[in-house]
Amino acid sequence: MNQISPVQTDTAATAATPDLRRVNSNPDFWYPVAWSSALRRNKTLAVSFAGIPMVLVRPEEGTVFALFDRCPHRQVPLSKGTVNGQTVRCCYHGWAFGRSGRCIDVPYLGKGKMPNGVRTFPVREEGGLIFVFPGDPAKADTVPFPKLAQTANPAYKTKQFGPRVNCHYTFMHENLMDMNHQFLHRRQMGQIKARFLGQDKGEDFIEARYSFMRCAGQQPLAERLIFGKHKDLNGREQPIEEVVTIRTEYPYQTLRITDKDGDLIMDLWTAYVPVDKDERVTQAFGLLSILRPQTPLLIDLIWPALGWFTNRIFLEDKEIVELEQAAWNEVGHDRNVEIFPVVKALRELLTRCGIAQDAAPQADAAPVALAAPAACAATPETTA
Amino acid sequence: MNQISPVQTDTAATAATPDLRRVNSNPDFWYPVAWSSALRRNKTLAVSFAGIPMVLVRPEEGTVFALFDRCPHRQVPLSKGTVNGQTVRCCYHGWAFGRSGRCIDVPYLGKGKMPNGVRTFPVREEGGLIFVFPGDPAKADTVPFPKLAQTANPAYKTKQFGPRVNCHYTFMHENLMDMNHQFLHRRQMGQIKARFLGQDKGEDFIEARYSFMRCAGQQPLAERLIFGKHKDLNGREQPIEEVVTIRTEYPYQTLRITDKDGDLIMDLWTAYVPVDKDERVTQAFGLLSILRPQTPLLIDLIWPALGWFTNRIFLEDKEIVELEQAAWNEVGHDRNVEIFPVVKALRELLTRCGIAQDAAPQADAAPVALAAPAACAATPETTA
Amino acid sequence: MNQISPVQTDTAATAATPDLRRVNSNPDFWYPVAWSSALRRNKTLAVSFAGIPMVLVRPEEGTVFALFDRCPHRQVPLSKGTVNGQTVRCCYHGWAFGRSGRCIDVPYLGKGKMPNGVRTFPVREEGGLIFVFPGDPAKADTVPFPKLAQTANPAYKTKQFGPRVNCHYTFMHENLMDMNHQFLHRRQMGQIKARFLGQDKGEDFIEARYSFMRCAGQQPLAERLIFGKHKDLNGREQPIEEVVTIRTEYPYQTLRITDKDGDLIMDLWTAYVPVDKDERVTQAFGLLSILRPQTPLLIDLIWPALGWFTNRIFLEDKEIVELEQAAWNEVGHDRNVEIFPVVKALRELLTRCGIAQDAAPQADAAPVALAAPAACAATPETTA
């Protein structure tokens, strides 16, 4: 009876390296929290970042603003209230709060001393997404805003997708970064084998490059339409010459595909936004830009198939990362035994740039004034 | 960026003043636990007070009695058993218990020494409600029994309502007492503004009086039928001259409306009964008495509309108090910033008359022999 | 007001006698975890023993094997993977594991050093059931394998049943052992009264014998077909002369009925297998063998009725033991007041042969190498 211990080399958390699933997202970055289309004029929208309730308000005039989504009076969500001009009025006793968070009216109180207001969050709206800066607002202007795939480039058509996944955001990073998991998608993509070409890394990023080889099975239609046929004149499969580059640049992740001429044919940008305080539920926001083919009609033709195809693949990824989270919940700590250097380095990056839960501010306190770890602000250095 | 702290003045619990949502209901009072109509002859009914399971038994002959709803043998609910004469027999092994709680038969045991019996609770049935006295039974006879609206007065018609609400009972008291929350009901009642007329308070009660002014919107039909039109000859809205008096007389709450002649036209009595041990689920029992109009038919005509109207309003209240409880659950303590003196005084009253959770007996022990806080037994004094 | 204390004599856990509902199943026995019919060739099946996830694998050739159901790489269930020859391949990155638990392939790694494998469990398949040995594998060959009712005897027809019950396994043992609970089944079986005839006990077993007397009500059809009519020539009910013997022989339980000639007419074997780590969910596996009557057709005729009848009775038992568990959950410890000596002795047996939770290995560690309590390995002695 072979009694091989499954715990021999697991990645136990130590004082030096906390459990990766207890590393919170660093709030000193811009995070998308809603699609622009979900928030109409004169309406509110309740969103959440790591358990911090926020109300987004789009007034009749002007830009969206974001407040802590609890009326300071009785803690009910301001998002249940009404929008009047540049204010949001609590649905319960009608207290009104302005863009600055200040309380500007209590209907049954004289115009003198007003109660305290609520916390505000910096907001930016770009590429069809509403972003907030949940951390120290003083840093909002200096922290770089991400490039959102090719949303601004008319040569590309961009698809939005925003699944909610019941797992820690780090599982999502690992899933996409490790292209050796093509076995998971064998039913959708046939038997494809990734070939690891190399990596780059720096203080706040890691990047892996792969090419792919079809081992067996049919090439799916959507794949063929984007990448073309990979057969020689005798109908034999040829190595796929595109290069897939996956990059986690904290806290975002991108996947870019370039063809043999080096042209960017697909550009995926994604952010994994923690919903709950423990960060075990993740709202993903993804932008997938596809280079329009020379036959302009083609992209519109394949668009539905592409949606169906990416959705099928994503559902497999969602199921597996949720199983990973479930296994973590079972034992209460990370037992993964990683052997792939890129993923090992990714785990270090996520630990380094995130905020270990014990070190994090208490649930109750607003996570302001956290010093961004120096590591993540440094200039990236490139390693082969 | 305006960083107004939402916690600056919140009502933090201290050693002297416990968190209001951790103040349990004082068991040394009569609490309704069921409608009389819900318990038929020869039947049992399982009810609960603050996590104490109770079985109500209505025998073929005689009054209802109440026992601890666990067979002492194997702890299954006696309420699953059968009623035979003046006994209830456990459904599992057939042990039988009498009105006194004594075990009087174990079918497979000789008639000699019987096992222990179960705890009993004093019961009173009045006004269509079954009340129990969950506390020290020695006090049951001396603690005043409440006046149940106008159930005994044929000049009034009384409506019963009994919603279950997922919040601490104190939120219910605050909701009704603070008439400044009419903004919440703007869709049902139009824009009404409360005018605070004054308050009375004593050791075990607080009372607030309001009049109302319609600011805008149509007067609802049900309201008009009860109170009459509030328009002058030119069709302009007039101040509503009725006075609304809300009174928490621990542990009950009443809302009475008198017209300009001082006649009582509406009398609401309500009790908020904790269901679970943590008292975060409340079973409300309400009796709403309406003075029959001089045209007797009228009351029957408006009755359905009145039911619909009060139900719509109540659903809004239920939603909002449950949101308050949800916010409390999120942070684990009360962060309300109260500015209205009546509500402040009400909070003090509920804290004073209730039982702070830390001081409460353990879940397991039956909450008997608690000294009723002296404050709540004292003669009320009236303050302007 | 009679204030009889329900806690006066309850079975409080002490250092010497732990709470019975915190006594875990001893893993050093053979436990069924699945029906053979549920696992097809080239397929996997996820099962569980006391929170230990296991994957059963039935390869194209050869016997079933069982592995710890977590890939050591990323902890996802191997049961989601594919079976290839004598291996199971993880669905995520395609790592493959053999019957011995060893990792024999990582598709993207050289053939050199392989990562750790997974734990294996001894497996036996018999009587339509797949058994595992969750404890110390070194003991698997010496621990006696149970006799599975009359599955191997063609004179009997055997019915399988496998309900999942939300309670600790000890409630199941007590339920069946205490035949004084016929009151529970009064609607199915009419008024039957058990007569206790005597008991035997030893270090690892206890046995109780009963006869039954119908007090009132109709004899059910299924019962009559198996046991015959119990009426004298004048149509009066006669004492039922069959003897029912219930025996817990740790960890299994049997119920055997012999007729007046001592012939075994019914033989029930059952095992109660804990599903979750706290052992508050039990998967029962039962085999009910009925002696084929001399008219062979008769058994097939009554079979459906027998199924319906036993199912109705079982549903009542399931409801009541789940209510017992619910009451235990409420107060967090056992408050039963037992008066029946057989059940008292059964409780001692289950405590003696099981593993008290505090003494049990941690959730995380595999429960291997536990010394089986000496008591349960000793030769049974018989007491009247």
Coordinates of all heavy atoms in Angstrom, one line a residue, chain A residues 83-144:
Chain A
V83 N -31.9 60.6 -6.5 CA -30.9 61.5 -7.0 C -31.6 62.8 -7.3 O -32.6 62.8 -8.0 CB -30.1 61.0 -8.2 CG1 -29.1 62.0 -8.7 CG2 -29.5 59.7 -7.9
N84 N -31.1 63.9 -6.7 CA -31.7 65.2 -7.0 C -30.6 66.2 -7.2 O -29.8 66.5 -6.3 CB -32.5 65.7 -5.7 CG -33.6 64.8 -5.3 OD1 -33.3 63.8 -4.6 ND2 -34.8 65.0 -5.8
G85 N -30.5 66.7 -8.5 CA -29.4 67.5 -8.8 C -28.1 66.8 -8.5 O -27.9 65.7 -9.0
Q86 N -27.2 67.4 -7.8 CA -25.9 66.9 -7.5 C -25.9 66.1 -6.1 O -24.8 66.0 -5.5 CB -24.8 67.9 -7.5 CG -24.6 68.6 -8.9 CD -24.0 67.7 -9.9 OE1 -23.0 67.0 -9.6 NE2 -24.6 67.6 -11.1
T87 N -27.1 65.7 -5.6 CA -27.1 65.1 -4.3 C -27.8 63.7 -4.4 O -28.6 63.5 -5.4 CB -27.9 65.9 -3.3 OG1 -29.3 65.9 -3.6 CG2 -27.4 67.3 -3.2
V88 N -27.5 62.9 -3.4 CA -28.3 61.7 -3.3 C -29.0 61.8 -1.9 O -28.4 62.2 -0.9 CB -27.4 60.4 -3.4 CG1 -26.3 60.4 -2.4 CG2 -28.2 59.2 -3.3
R89 N -30.3 61.4 -1.9 CA -31.1 61.6 -0.6 C -31.4 60.2 -0.1 O -31.9 59.4 -0.8 CB -32.3 62.4 -1.0 CG -33.1 62.9 0.2 CD -34.3 63.8 -0.2 NE -33.9 65.1 -0.6 CZ -33.7 66.1 0.2 NH1 -33.8 65.9 1.5 NH2 -33.4 67.3 -0.2
C90 N -31.1 60.0 1.2 CA -31.4 58.7 1.8 C -32.9 58.4 1.8 O -33.7 59.3 2.0 CB -30.9 58.7 3.2 SG -31.2 57.1 4.1
C91 N -33.2 57.2 1.4 CA -34.6 56.8 1.3 C -35.4 56.8 2.6 O -36.6 56.8 2.6 CB -34.7 55.4 0.6 SG -34.3 54.1 1.7
Y92 N -34.7 56.8 3.7 CA -35.4 56.5 5.0 C -35.9 57.9 5.6 O -37.1 58.1 5.6 CB -34.4 55.8 5.9 CG -35.1 55.1 7.1 CD1 -34.3 54.3 8.0 CD2 -36.4 55.2 7.4 CE1 -34.8 53.7 9.1 CE2 -37.0 54.5 8.5 CZ -36.1 53.8 9.3 OH -36.7 53.1 10.4
H93 N -35.0 58.7 6.1 CA -35.4 60.0 6.7 C -35.1 61.2 5.8 O -35.2 62.3 6.2 CB -34.8 60.2 8.0 CG -35.2 59.1 9.0 ND1 -34.5 57.9 9.0 CD2 -36.1 59.1 10.0 CE1 -35.1 57.1 10.0 NE2 -36.0 57.8 10.6
G94 N -34.6 60.9 4.5 CA -34.4 62.0 3.6 C -33.2 62.8 3.7 O -33.1 63.9 3.1
W95 N -32.2 62.4 4.5 CA -31.0 63.1 4.6 C -30.3 63.2 3.2 O -30.3 62.2 2.5 CB -30.0 62.5 5.6 CG -30.4 62.5 7.0 CD1 -31.7 62.6 7.5 CD2 -29.5 62.4 8.2 NE1 -31.6 62.5 8.9 CE2 -30.4 62.4 9.3 CE3 -28.1 62.3 8.3 CZ2 -29.8 62.3 10.6 CZ3 -27.6 62.2 9.6 CH2 -28.5 62.2 10.8
A96 N -29.7 64.3 2.8 CA -29.2 64.5 1.5 C -27.6 64.7 1.6 O -27.2 65.5 2.5 CB -29.8 65.6 0.8
F97 N -26.9 64.1 0.6 CA -25.5 64.2 0.6 C -25.0 64.6 -0.8 O -25.5 64.1 -1.8 CB -24.8 62.9 1.0 CG -25.3 62.4 2.3 CD1 -26.4 61.7 2.5 CD2 -24.5 62.7 3.5 CE1 -26.9 61.3 3.8 CE2 -24.9 62.4 4.7 CZ -26.1 61.6 4.9
G98 N -24.0 65.5 -0.8 CA -23.5 66.0 -2.1 C -22.3 65.2 -2.6 O -21.9 64.2 -2.0
R99 N -21.8 65.6 -3.7 CA -20.7 65.0 -4.4 C -19.5 64.9 -3.5 O -18.6 64.0 -3.6 CB -20.4 65.8 -5.6 CG -19.2 65.5 -6.5 CD -19.1 66.5 -7.6 NE -20.1 66.2 -8.7 CZ -19.9 65.3 -9.7 NH1 -18.8 64.6 -9.7 NH2 -20.8 65.1 -10.6
S100 N -19.4 65.9 -2.6 CA -18.2 65.9 -1.7 C -18.4 65.0 -0.4 O -17.5 64.9 0.4 CB -18.0 67.4 -1.1 OG -19.1 67.7 -0.3
G101 N -19.6 64.4 -0.3 CA -19.9 63.5 0.8 C -20.5 64.3 1.9 O -21.0 63.7 2.9
R102 N -20.5 65.6 1.9 CA -21.1 66.4 3.0 C -22.6 66.2 3.1 O -23.3 66.1 2.1 CB -20.8 67.9 2.7 CG -20.9 68.7 4.0 CD -20.3 70.1 3.9 NE -19.3 70.1 2.8 CZ -18.6 71.2 2.5 NH1 -18.8 72.3 3.1 NH2 -17.7 71.2 1.5
C103 N -23.1 66.2 4.3 CA -24.6 66.2 4.5 C -25.1 67.6 4.3 O -24.6 68.5 5.0 CB -24.9 65.7 5.9 SG -26.7 65.7 6.2
I104 N -26.0 67.8 3.3 CA -26.4 69.2 3.1 C -27.9 69.4 3.4 O -28.4 70.5 3.3 CB -26.1 69.6 1.6 CG1 -26.8 68.6 0.7 CG2 -24.6 69.6 1.3 CD1 -26.7 69.1 -0.8
D105 N -28.6 68.4 3.8 CA -30.0 68.6 4.2 C -30.5 67.5 5.1 O -30.3 66.3 4.7 CB -30.9 68.8 3.0 CG -32.3 69.2 3.4 OD1 -32.5 69.9 4.4 OD2 -33.3 68.7 2.7
V106 N -31.1 67.9 6.2 CA -31.9 67.0 7.0 C -33.3 67.6 7.1 O -33.4 68.7 7.7 CB -31.3 66.7 8.4 CG1 -32.3 65.9 9.3 CG2 -29.9 66.1 8.3
P107 N -34.3 67.1 6.4 CA -35.5 67.8 6.2 C -36.1 68.3 7.5 O -36.8 69.3 7.5 CB -36.4 66.8 5.5 CG -35.5 65.8 4.9 CD -34.3 65.7 5.7
Y108 N -36.0 67.6 8.6 CA -36.6 68.0 9.8 C -35.7 68.7 10.8 O -36.0 68.8 12.0 CB -37.3 66.8 10.5 CG -36.4 65.6 10.7 CD1 -35.7 65.4 11.8 CD2 -36.2 64.7 9.6 CE1 -34.9 64.3 12.0 CE2 -35.3 63.6 9.8 CZ -34.7 63.4 11.0 OH -33.9 62.3 11.1
L109 N -34.6 69.3 10.3 CA -33.6 70.0 11.1 C -33.4 71.4 10.5 O -33.6 71.6 9.3 CB -32.3 69.2 11.0 CG -31.3 69.3 12.2 CD1 -31.9 68.7 13.5 CD2 -30.0 68.7 11.8
G110 N -33.1 72.3 11.4 CA -32.8 73.7 10.9 C -31.6 73.7 10.0 O -30.9 72.7 10.0
K111 N -31.4 74.8 9.4 CA -30.3 74.8 8.4 C -28.9 75.0 9.0 O -27.9 75.3 8.3 CB -30.6 75.9 7.3 CG -31.7 75.6 6.4 CD -31.2 74.5 5.4 CE -32.4 73.9 4.5 NZ -32.2 72.7 3.9
G112 N -28.9 75.0 10.4 CA -27.6 75.3 11.1 C -26.6 74.2 10.9 O -26.1 73.8 9.9
K113 N -26.4 73.5 12.1 CA -25.3 72.5 12.1 C -25.8 71.2 11.5 O -26.8 70.7 11.9 CB -24.9 72.3 13.6 CG -23.8 71.4 13.8 CD -23.3 71.5 15.2 CE -22.4 70.3 15.6 NZ -23.2 69.0 15.9
M114 N -25.1 70.7 10.5 CA -25.5 69.5 9.8 C -24.7 68.3 10.4 O -23.6 68.5 10.9 CB -25.1 69.6 8.3 CG -26.1 70.4 7.5 SD -27.7 69.5 7.4 CE -28.8 70.9 7.9
P115 N -25.2 67.1 10.4 CA -24.5 66.0 10.9 C -23.3 65.7 9.9 O -23.2 66.3 8.9 CB -25.5 64.8 10.8 CG -26.8 65.5 10.6 CD -26.6 66.8 9.9
N116 N -22.5 64.7 10.3 CA -21.4 64.3 9.5 C -21.8 63.8 8.2 O -22.9 63.3 8.0 CB -20.6 63.2 10.2 CG -19.8 63.7 11.4 OD1 -19.4 64.9 11.4 ND2 -19.5 62.8 12.3
G117 N -20.9 63.9 7.2 CA -21.1 63.4 5.9 C -20.6 62.0 5.8 O -20.3 61.3 6.8
V118 N -20.3 61.6 4.5 CA -19.8 60.2 4.3 C -18.5 60.3 3.5 O -18.3 61.3 2.8 CB -20.8 59.3 3.5 CG1 -22.0 59.0 4.4 CG2 -21.3 60.0 2.2
R119 N -17.8 59.2 3.5 CA -16.6 59.1 2.8 C -16.8 59.1 1.3 O -17.8 58.5 0.8 CB -15.9 57.8 3.2 CG -14.5 57.7 2.7 CD -13.9 56.4 3.1 NE -12.7 56.2 2.3 CZ -12.1 55.0 2.0 NH1 -12.7 53.9 2.4 NH2 -11.0 55.0 1.3
T120 N -15.9 59.7 0.5 CA -16.0 59.7 -0.9 C -14.9 58.9 -1.5 O -13.9 58.6 -0.8 CB -15.9 61.1 -1.5 OG1 -14.6 61.6 -1.2 CG2 -17.0 62.0 -1.0
F121 N -15.0 58.5 -2.8 CA -14.0 57.7 -3.5 C -13.7 58.4 -4.8 O -14.7 58.7 -5.5 CB -14.4 56.3 -3.7 CG -14.7 55.6 -2.4 CD1 -15.9 55.5 -1.9 CD2 -13.6 54.9 -1.7 CE1 -16.2 54.9 -0.7 CE2 -13.9 54.3 -0.5 CZ -15.2 54.2 0.0
P122 N -12.5 58.6 -5.2 CA -12.2 59.1 -6.6 C -12.8 58.2 -7.6 O -12.7 56.9 -7.5 CB -10.6 59.1 -6.6 CG -10.2 59.2 -5.2 CD -11.2 58.4 -4.4
V123 N -13.3 58.8 -8.7 CA -13.9 58.0 -9.8 C -13.3 58.4 -11.1 O -13.0 59.6 -11.3 CB -15.4 58.3 -9.8 CG1 -16.1 57.7 -11.0 CG2 -16.1 57.8 -8.5
R124 N -13.1 57.4 -12.0 CA -12.8 57.7 -13.4 C -13.7 56.8 -14.3 O -13.9 55.7 -13.9 CB -11.3 57.4 -13.7 CG -10.4 58.6 -13.3 CD -9.0 58.3 -13.6 NE -8.8 58.5 -15.1 CZ -7.5 58.6 -15.6 NH1 -6.5 58.6 -14.8 NH2 -7.4 58.7 -16.9
E125 N -14.1 57.3 -15.4 CA -14.9 56.5 -16.3 C -14.2 56.4 -17.6 O -13.9 57.5 -18.2 CB -16.3 57.1 -16.4 CG -17.3 56.2 -17.1 CD -18.7 56.7 -17.0 OE1 -18.9 57.8 -16.4 OE2 -19.6 56.0 -17.4
E126 N -13.9 55.3 -18.1 CA -13.2 55.1 -19.3 C -13.4 53.7 -19.9 O -13.6 52.7 -19.2 CB -11.7 55.3 -19.1 CG -11.0 56.1 -20.1 CD -9.7 56.7 -19.6 OE1 -9.7 57.7 -18.8 OE2 -8.6 56.3 -20.0
G127 N -13.4 53.7 -21.3 CA -13.5 52.4 -22.0 C -14.8 51.6 -21.6 O -14.8 50.4 -21.6
G128 N -15.8 52.3 -21.2 CA -17.1 51.7 -20.9 C -17.1 51.1 -19.5 O -18.0 50.4 -19.1
L129 N -16.1 51.5 -18.7 CA -16.1 51.0 -17.3 C -16.0 52.2 -16.3 O -15.4 53.3 -16.6 CB -14.8 50.2 -17.1 CG -14.8 48.8 -17.6 CD1 -13.4 48.2 -17.7 CD2 -15.8 47.9 -16.7
I130 N -16.6 52.0 -15.1 CA -16.5 53.0 -14.1 C -15.4 52.5 -13.1 O -15.6 51.4 -12.5 CB -17.8 53.3 -13.4 CG1 -18.8 53.8 -14.4 CG2 -17.7 54.2 -12.2 CD1 -20.3 53.8 -13.9
F131 N -14.4 53.2 -12.8 CA -13.3 52.9 -11.9 C -13.4 53.7 -10.6 O -13.8 54.9 -10.7 CB -11.9 53.2 -12.5 CG -11.5 52.3 -13.7 CD1 -12.1 52.4 -14.9 CD2 -10.6 51.2 -13.5 CE1 -11.7 51.6 -16.0 CE2 -10.2 50.4 -14.5 CZ -10.8 50.6 -15.8
V132 N -13.1 53.1 -9.5 CA -12.9 53.8 -8.3 C -11.5 53.6 -7.8 O -10.8 52.6 -8.2 CB -13.9 53.4 -7.2 CG1 -15.3 53.7 -7.6 CG2 -13.7 52.0 -6.8
F133 N -11.1 54.5 -6.9 CA -9.8 54.3 -6.2 C -10.1 54.1 -4.7 O -10.3 55.0 -4.0 CB -8.9 55.6 -6.4 CG -7.5 55.4 -6.1 CD1 -6.6 55.0 -7.1 CD2 -7.0 55.6 -4.8 CE1 -5.2 54.8 -6.8 CE2 -5.7 55.5 -4.5 CZ -4.8 55.1 -5.5
P134 N -10.1 52.8 -4.3 CA -10.6 52.6 -2.9 C -9.6 52.9 -1.8 O -10.0 53.0 -0.7 CB -10.8 51.0 -2.9 CG -10.4 50.5 -4.3 CD -9.7 51.6 -5.0
G135 N -8.3 53.2 -2.2 CA -7.3 53.4 -1.2 C -7.2 54.9 -0.8 O -8.1 55.6 -0.6
D136 N -5.9 55.3 -0.6 CA -5.6 56.6 -0.1 C -5.9 57.6 -1.3 O -5.2 57.6 -2.3 CB -4.2 56.7 0.3 CG -3.8 58.1 0.7 OD1 -4.6 59.0 0.7 OD2 -2.6 58.3 1.0
P137 N -6.9 58.5 -1.2 CA -7.3 59.3 -2.3 C -6.2 60.3 -2.7 O -6.1 60.7 -3.9 CB -8.5 60.1 -1.8 CG -8.6 59.9 -0.3 CD -7.8 58.6 0.0
A138 N -5.2 60.5 -1.8 CA -4.1 61.4 -2.2 C -3.3 60.8 -3.3 O -2.5 61.5 -4.0 CB -3.3 61.7 -0.9
K139 N -3.3 59.5 -3.4 CA -2.5 58.8 -4.4 C -3.2 58.7 -5.7 O -2.6 58.2 -6.7 CB -2.1 57.5 -3.9 CG -1.2 57.5 -2.6 CD -0.9 56.1 -2.2 CE 0.0 56.2 -1.0 NZ 0.1 54.9 -0.3
A140 N -4.5 59.0 -5.8 CA -5.3 58.6 -7.0 C -4.7 59.3 -8.2 O -4.7 58.6 -9.3 CB -6.7 59.1 -6.8
D141 N -4.2 60.5 -8.1 CA -3.8 61.2 -9.3 C -2.4 60.7 -9.8 O -2.1 60.9 -11.0 CB -3.7 62.7 -9.0 CG -5.1 63.3 -8.9 OD1 -6.1 62.7 -9.4 OD2 -5.2 64.4 -8.4
T142 N -1.6 60.1 -9.0 CA -0.3 59.7 -9.4 C -0.2 58.3 -9.8 O 0.7 57.9 -10.5 CB 0.7 60.0 -8.3 OG1 0.2 59.4 -7.1 CG2 0.8 61.5 -8.0
V143 N -1.1 57.4 -9.3 CA -1.1 56.0 -9.6 C -1.5 55.9 -11.1 O -2.5 56.4 -11.5 CB -2.0 55.2 -8.7 CG1 -2.2 53.8 -9.3 CG2 -1.4 55.1 -7.3
P144 N -0.7 55.2 -11.9 CA -1.0 55.1 -13.3 C -2.3 54.4 -13.6 O -2.7 53.4 -12.9 CB 0.1 54.2 -13.9 CG 1.2 54.1 -12.8 CD 0.5 54.4 -11.5

